[in-house]
Amino acid sequence: LLSVLIIGFWQGLYALDASDGSAEGSGTIANVLVQALLQSPDFGKFSNSTMGLVLYYLWGVITGLILLNILISLFSSAYSDVVDDAEAQYLAFFASKTVGMIRAPDEFVFPSPFNIIEVLFLIPFELCGLSRKSYAKLNRFVMITVFFVPLAMIALHESLTEESRHTWMKRWLSGDNEGEDERPEHHDPVVDDDPVGRVISKVPFEDLVKAFPDTNQSSEALMMTEITQLRKQLAALSERLNSIGN
């Protein structure tokens, strides 16, 4: 768009400059337009021509608006990119900081007061020249032995005493109820404590399932199946109409 405006205004100003019979050259007009684009206009160049000044003023205003819109669009796109990636950037930064704090200076962290065990029973083995692999195995064994009981107690406490907040853990510890939805009494349930024996739905479960879409097929395959069934129905309808006509 800016290039089209440059060509149009250059042509108009050059025509006005050449209308009096003496033209200074196309390079001079282009130089004046570029100066105005760079916020250094030369209004004295067209002081003798009213239409030249009008075109020059329009050139300055229009190019300023175009450049401003370009700047706004760049800021908007940059802001949207930052907002879209803000969560991922924050998580990556937080993870890097967390990993850096955990693994520095020691890979095996013993929180207080268990760090006394590390100072008294583990660090001497490292100072005595124990290999890195053996030292890592020793740390893992000690951490499993020390932290297994308190972590197990915490897990049991959260799963048994705070049922509303940790229902998923209770379900995991008590076992799942997989397969209960396939029981026949769950397909056509009856109203509890009803002497008449009324059911919740008058339509049988098998008929309801037939009306549901087949989730095992893709949308394209389901569409082709429906088209095939529609063709069969149209063929049966046309045969019936032909038999009635005959």
Side-chain angles (χ1 to χ4, degrees):
L1 179 60
L2 190 60
S3 61
V4 174
L5 287 175
I6 290 175
I7 295 173
F9 276 93
W10 174 83
Q11 185 178 7
L13 292 175
Y14 182 77
L16 289 175
D17 187 36
S19 62
D20 57 356
S22 60
E24 296 184 3
S26 59
T28 304
I29 303 299
N31 185 27
V32 172
L33 292 177
V34 172
Q35 287 180 357
L37 186 63
L38 298 177
Q39 304 302 316
S40 180
D42 185 9
F43 295 104
K45 183 67 178 177
F46 304 99
S47 59
N48 297 327
S49 175
T50 304
M51 289 303 300
L53 280 176
V54 171
L55 285 178
Y56 202 53
Y57 289 148
L58 288 176
W59 166 254
V61 172
I62 293 174
T63 53
L65 291 176
I66 291 175
L67 294 177
L68 182 61
N69 288 329
I70 293 174
L71 182 63
I72 292 173
S73 63
L74 290 176
F75 275 123
S76 177
S77 61
Y79 178 77
S80 62
D81 293 339
V82 170
V83 170
D84 293 339
D85 298 337
E87 184 176 358
Q89 293 287 344
Y90 171 76
L91 292 177
F93 179 76
F94 182 79
S96 63
K97 286 294 184 182
T98 304
V99 172
M101 291 180 180
I102 289 177
R103 295 188 175 180
D106 191 6
E107 183 178 356
F108 303 99
V109 179
F110 287 82
S112 178
F114 299 103
N115 56 348
I116 300 176
I117 299 175
E118 182 183 14
V119 173
L120 296 179
F121 300 102
L122 296 178
I123 293 180
F125 287 98
E126 184 181 11
L127 298 177
C128 292
L130 188 65
S131 64
R132 184 176 181 84
K133 186 176 181 180
S134 301
Y135 182 72
K137 289 183 179 180
L138 179 61
N139 273 274
R140 292 191 183 96
F141 175 77
V142 173
M143 293 180 74
I144 292 173
T145 305
V146 172
F147 296 134
F148 176 77
V149 175
L151 290 178
M153 294 177 63
I154 292 172
L156 290 175
H157 172 73
E158 291 181 351
S159 62
L160 297 177
T161 59
E162 301 182 9
E163 298 180 358
S164 60
R165 296 177 55 186
H166 304 283
T167 55
W168 64 272
M169 188 178 296
K170 182 179 179 181
R171 289 196 301 266
W172 179 70
L173 292 175
S174 61
D176 55 2
N177 297 324
E178 185 177 358
E180 287 190 355
D181 295 337
E182 301 297 332
R183 294 182 180 179
E185 58 269 19
H186 291 170
H187 291 176
D188 296 312
V190 297
V191 181
D192 296 336
D193 300 331
D194 186 18
V196 183
R198 288 175 294 184
V199 296
I200 295 178
S201 177
K202 295 182 180 180
V203 181
F205 179 77
E206 289 76 10
D207 297 339
L208 290 175
V209 173
K210 291 179 181 178
F212 293 162
D214 190 2
T215 56
N216 295 326
Q217 294 181 351
S218 62
S219 58
E220 293 80 5
L222 185 61
M223 188 180 299
M224 293 300 298
T225 304
E226 292 179 354
I227 292 174
T228 304
Q229 294 177 357
L230 183 60
R231 286 179 177 176
K232 292 180 180 179
Q233 293 177 1
L234 290 176
L237 181 61
S238 61
E239 290 178 359
R240 183 174 297 180
L241 291 176
N242 292 331
S243 61
I244 293 175
N246 296 330

